[in-house]
Amino acid sequence: MLLTLAWGALFFPGLLALCTWGLRRARPEWTNFDCLMISTRVVSSVQAVLATGSGIVIIRSCRNVITDRHWLSREYVWLVVPYMIYDSCAMYLCEWYRTKDEGRRHTLTIFQNFLRQNRLMITHHAFILFVLVPVAQRFRGDLGDFFVGCIFTAELSTPFVSLGRILIQLKQQHTLLYKVNGVLTLTTFFSCRILLFPFMYWSYGQQQGLSLFQVPFNIPFHCNVANAFLIAPQLYWFSLLCKKAARLFDTPQAKKDG
């Protein structure tokens, strides 16, 4: 545990520093904010690949979705802890550099604006650290590694989301790559963050001889509540992605009508 925590505490900030240094050398005309923003997306993508890969290994290894064990289901959670702390700090650092590049001073107002603009993401990180991590490491006992692996695979959409943000930062919204990436973002997000929950219910049902619709009535109430809390922000973020996609593909027609 301690070794994994220490490794994560060094790896993610170190990768951010390395990427930022490399971008400053390769693109000296870019601002500090541009280099840092793109670097944070790269780090997020790396973490997403690691999480998704871990999740796939766990899922494939657990034939019994209730009792089968895999060491990654617990070990990778300890890597998530320093990542969530790093990511919160990195988001604030991006805001600090953005305001600095605009010529504004670093004041308490900047911190308050950061909290207000990122309240949902900060709440999401806090929920993972103070609720999901204790549940995954202690309260669930020796059961449910399969479901932990499923949750890890939710990160599959993150590299596509990150690439979209990078293309926006580089003002490449008009390119075919941006549109294709938008479709892939919607597809992976819907598959791994929305359909993931019916899949977990279905997998449990297959193990217990229940239909998908019977599962919610045959598991503890708190499991349904926890899944509701997990899927609610995903549905909200997916609606935002759909709105952005609609604006993207409506733009040519709007220009034509104008």
Side-chain angles (χ1 to χ4, degrees):
M1 178 190 76
L2 293 178
L3 182 61
T4 304
L5 287 171
W7 188 83
L10 293 174
F11 176 73
F12 295 116
L15 182 59
L16 177 70
L18 179 63
C19 291
T20 304
W21 175 81
L23 285 174
R24 285 174 177 168
R25 298 268 297 184
R27 293 289 186 270
E29 70 276 10
W30 285 1
T31 65
N32 290 327
F33 170 72
D34 290 333
C35 294
L36 184 63
M37 179 62 75
I38 292 176
S39 297
T40 58
R41 300 302 175 189
V42 172
V43 177
S44 295
S45 298
V46 170
Q47 191 281 143
V49 171
L50 292 174
T52 302
S54 299
I56 292 173
V57 170
I58 295 168
I59 291 171
R60 291 177 60 87
S61 300
C62 295
R63 296 184 178 277
N64 188 306
V65 303
I66 308 299
T67 60
D68 280 2
R69 308 295 310 282
H70 194 283
W71 64 272
L72 271 174
S73 65
R74 290 189 180 276
E75 202 63 28
Y76 194 81
V77 172
W78 292 126
L79 195 64
V80 170
V81 173
Y83 173 75
M84 288 297 163
I85 297 173
Y86 146 80
D87 196 45
S88 298
C89 295
M91 288 192 301
Y92 178 71
L93 192 60
C94 286
E95 178 67 14
W96 188 86
Y97 270 109
R98 185 181 68 82
T99 55
K100 184 180 179 181
D101 288 341
E102 292 176 354
R104 294 160 57 187
R105 293 182 178 179
H106 180 214
T107 64
L108 180 61
T109 304
I110 297 174
F111 183 69
Q112 292 172 336
N113 289 339
F114 166 75
L115 293 178
R116 183 172 60 255
Q117 294 172 4
N118 298 278
R119 58 183 178 274
L120 183 57
M121 186 61 71
I122 293 172
T123 301
H124 175 257
H125 283 20
F127 182 78
I128 290 175
L129 286 174
F130 299 113
V131 178
L132 292 188
V133 169
V135 168
Q137 299 296 67
R138 186 173 183 84
F139 296 118
R140 70 184 177 92
D142 294 331
L143 304 176
D145 284 14
F146 173 87
F147 300 109
V148 175
C150 289
I151 296 298
F152 287 164
T153 62
E155 290 293 319
L156 179 61
S157 62
T158 299
F160 301 103
V161 174
S162 296
L163 178 57
R165 297 288 179 84
I166 291 174
L167 292 173
I168 291 174
Q169 191 73 21
L170 298 177
K171 304 185 187 305
Q172 297 296 310
Q173 300 95 314
H174 62 282
T175 61
L176 177 61
L177 175 61
Y178 183 77
K179 294 183 178 181
V180 171
N181 183 71
V183 173
L184 292 174
T185 300
L186 287 174
T187 303
T188 54
F189 196 100
F190 183 73
S191 299
C192 295
R193 296 204 178 207
I194 308 298
L195 293 183
L196 174 68
F197 293 91
F199 170 74
M200 290 193 294
Y201 277 65
W202 175 83
S203 298
Y204 178 84
Q206 291 293 301
Q207 190 78 54
Q208 301 297 316
L210 301 169
S211 70
L212 174 63
F213 300 104
Q214 290 175 315
V215 172
F217 305 101
N218 287 272
I219 61 176
F221 177 72
H222 66 268
C223 292
N224 290 317
V225 173
N227 284 330
F229 272 106
L230 287 173
I231 197 173
Q234 312 305 328
L235 291 171
Y236 173 72
W237 284 322
F238 184 69
S239 69
L240 295 181
L241 289 174
C242 289
K243 289 178 181 178
K244 289 181 180 180
R247 289 198 300 268
L248 174 65
F249 289 101
D250 282 348
T251 299
Q253 185 62 38
K255 292 180 177 180
K256 182 178 178 180
D257 294 341

